[in-house]
Amino acid sequence: MESPKLFMLLLGCTPPGRYTEQHDVFFTVGNSLKDIKEEIIAFWPEANGKIHIDAWREVTEVDGYQVKVVSKKDEPTADKLFFLNLGGYKKGDFDELHYKMLTVSDEKATAIKKAKETAFYKHAGFEGATSHIDDKYGVDVDDVFEIEDILPASIKKDYKLKISLAVDTPKDEIHLGYLILSKL
């Protein structure tokens, strides 16, 4: 039997009453995109099934660490996988730019420190419009999500993530493009 994989997806839709496409990031576990289709639909009920994938990856390598999905019964690891959504601005652009990052750390404070060291954080802002981790105007520990905490409840009851030093683990391929669920 194939080992389950951790998927990170950037989902898009234009919910009723909105004028522009909205986006959200969704994490789940499965063997293929086709296998997680119903979970995607359930994640964003306001989309009424009219949802698509703009980007996705199987998360296997982050920061020189290997990420594996294992049985909930396996021994815990000290390091954890965190997701941060950084927001910033470019002078003259009527938009908020975003940089979505994954990082491995033993605690949220260290994950935030890593986010503050990124080129995006340092350069996607200016006086009066500083870069930030979304939902706050400053960096706050609550703005960082541990991946295991935000997985669907049905996944969390059976699986967890095992983080270990990567040995010859290739970088994750990031898939980009408009992919409608009916094409899965």
Side-chain angles (χ1 to χ4, degrees), residues 97 133 157:
L97 308 171
I133 296 177
K157 71 179 182 61

Side-chain angles (χ1 to χ4, degrees), residues 35-58:
D35 289 345
I36 61 174
K37 183 176 172 180
E38 293 306 315
E39 288 179 43
I40 293 169
I41 293 168
F43 172 71
W44 204 339
E46 300 84 6
N48 296 321
K50 296 177 182 170
I51 194 166
H52 63 272
I53 300 170
D54 281 309
W56 67 276
R57 77 189 257 195
E58 290 177 20

